[in-house]
Amino acid sequence: MANSIETVTLFQAACDRQLIEGATSGWMEANAGQVKYSGGREIKIPTLSTDGLGDYDRNSGYPRGKVSLAYQTKTMTQDRGIQFLLDRIDVDESGFIANASAAMSTFQSENVIPEVDAYRYSTLYKYISEAGNSKEYSPAASTILSQVKNDITAIQDICGSAELVIIMPYPVADILDSTDKLQRQINVGTFKQGNIDLEVRTLNGIPILRVPTTRMYTEYTFNSGDGAFGFTKTEAAKRINWIICPRTAPIAVSKTDGVKIFDPETTQGADAWTIEYRKFHDIWVKDKQLAAMRASVEA
């Protein structure tokens, strides 16, 4: 079974689905819409625009406007990959799919998903910071609620009643939970991500998405695999206290491409099954919504 197309298609679809549903940032992928992707770094994101209102004329009737659908080409900067060998003695052919699926599921949940989350949140922070909408703050139970609500008000003053999302590391969310005044404003709601519904706490109807702290720093090094794998925060990195933004603002795309599977007869240099995995991903922010985003970073 040298690189079976059916098996590869199964793996690629499963990897993409697991990331969307498992990553704390998976909801951002819905904002890309029906992207066009045919492999490699480039994707085409659909953008829809309409004309505004005009005057109705009793003789000629309605002014003729237009609806325009265009595709914007984007290049994903993150091109990551890995090769795994599964020894033939450990995996007979009938059990290969089960063993490979378990290995890839563990790899995705323990390595890929945390890295993609970390890249997305640090990149969002960079966008917000460069726009001048980030501030330093040391979270305290006595002040955190007013700080969060001030950011929410600033955003709503720009975008009105747009659906917002609050993203917080667990320790900061715990400080917010301990605020006495919060209890009258907190509820439990449903947050849809991919094909699953998550039960989350909400602040005045705004979902609070909790993220492991290791994924919410301002800077990371994404290691090349030459001596070190995965990702690590830089020495200059600071913890992000929160990011608040319209749900539709971040556009995230991740694509598993170039999955190759080779049987032990085809693999060179080892008596093993070979799995080669390549992941492209990136995140962008809509220009019109950048002003309606706020971030807080540790002092």
Side-chain angles (χ1 to χ4, degrees):
M1 188 198 78
N3 204 28
S4 164
I5 293 177
E6 182 179 353
T7 304
V8 167
T9 302
L10 173 69
F11 268 75
Q12 290 188 177
C15 287
D16 287 340
R17 184 172 59 253
Q18 184 186 16
L19 192 145
I20 291 174
E21 295 180 354
T24 61
S25 60
W27 54 275
M28 299 177 185
E29 299 210 22
N31 294 333
Q34 298 299 313
V35 300
K36 290 184 177 181
Y37 181 69
S38 54
R41 288 175 174 265
E42 287 192 350
I43 60 165
K44 295 184 183 295
I45 298 176
T47 56
L48 188 68
S49 62
T50 61
D51 287 335
L53 290 170
D55 289 336
Y56 179 83
D57 187 278
R58 293 189 179 185
N59 294 317
S60 59
Y62 297 95
R64 182 67 58 86
K66 66 179 182 295
V67 177
S68 301
L69 175 63
Y71 282 87
Q72 186 176 12
T73 300
K74 294 285 190 180
T75 300
M76 293 179 279
T77 62
Q78 299 303 292
D79 182 356
R80 309 284 280 164
I82 196 75
Q83 181 190 79
F84 293 116
L85 297 180
L86 300 181
D87 193 275
R88 181 181 58 82
I89 301 301
D90 297 330
V91 184
D92 63 20
E93 186 169 358
S94 62
F96 170 73
I97 295 298
N99 281 272
S101 296
M104 293 307 292
S105 177
T106 299
F107 167 64
Q108 286 254 127
S109 62
E110 294 185 359
N111 302 103
V112 178
I113 287 175
E115 177 174 319
V116 171
D117 271 350
Y119 174 78
R120 288 175 176 174
Y121 295 132
S122 61
T123 303
L124 279 184
Y125 173 78
K126 183 179 179 182
Y127 275 115
I128 297 169
S129 178
E130 289 178 348
N133 292 325
S134 172
K135 62 185 178 184
E136 292 188 351
Y137 167 67
S138 296
S142 59
T143 58
I144 187 170
L145 181 58
S146 62
Q147 291 288 322
V148 171
K149 292 182 74 174
N150 285 344
D151 278 352
I152 291 173
T153 299
I155 294 172
Q156 290 175 332
D157 193 40
I158 295 171
C159 64
S161 59
E163 183 180 358
L164 303 183
V165 175
I166 301 170
I167 307 159
M168 278 187 175
Y170 278 93
V172 178
D174 190 55
I175 295 173
L176 182 63
D177 288 343
S178 67
T179 305
D180 293 336
K181 296 179 181 178
L182 182 67
Q183 302 312 313
R184 298 190 300 271
Q185 304 170 62
I186 205 76
N187 264 304
V188 175
T190 300
F191 186 84
K192 190 169 185 62
Q193 178 165 299
N195 294 321
I196 61 174
D197 291 326
L198 304 175
E199 193 173 87
V200 299
R201 302 191 81 181
T202 65
L203 172 61
N204 292 335
I206 302 172
I208 303 171
L209 306 183
R210 299 168 187 242
V211 180
T213 302
T214 53
R215 308 181 196 181
M216 287 202 73
Y217 282 93
T218 56
E219 292 180 354
Y220 293 93
T221 297
F222 297 95
N223 301 311
S224 66
D226 183 12
F229 293 88
F231 68 103
T232 53
K233 67 183 181 71
T234 67
E235 291 185 4
K238 294 184 177 182
R239 187 190 66 188
I240 301 170
N241 293 324
W242 61 77
I243 293 173
I244 307 176
C245 66
R247 179 164 182 163
T248 56
I251 302 173
V253 176
S254 66
K255 294 295 180 182
T256 305
D257 185 35
V259 171
K260 298 175 183 177
I261 300 173
F262 300 103
D263 60 27
E265 300 301 321
T266 308
T267 298
Q268 301 296 306
D271 184 18
W273 292 85
T274 301
I275 302 175
E276 296 177 344
Y277 170 102
R278 195 172 181 184
K279 172 72 75 177
F280 294 99
H281 69 93
D282 216 326
I283 185 171
W284 304 272
V285 174
K286 297 177 182 178
D287 292 339
K288 292 181 179 179
Q289 293 188 319
L290 184 56
M293 301 178 70
R294 295 292 184 274
S296 171
V297 67
E298 65 179 343

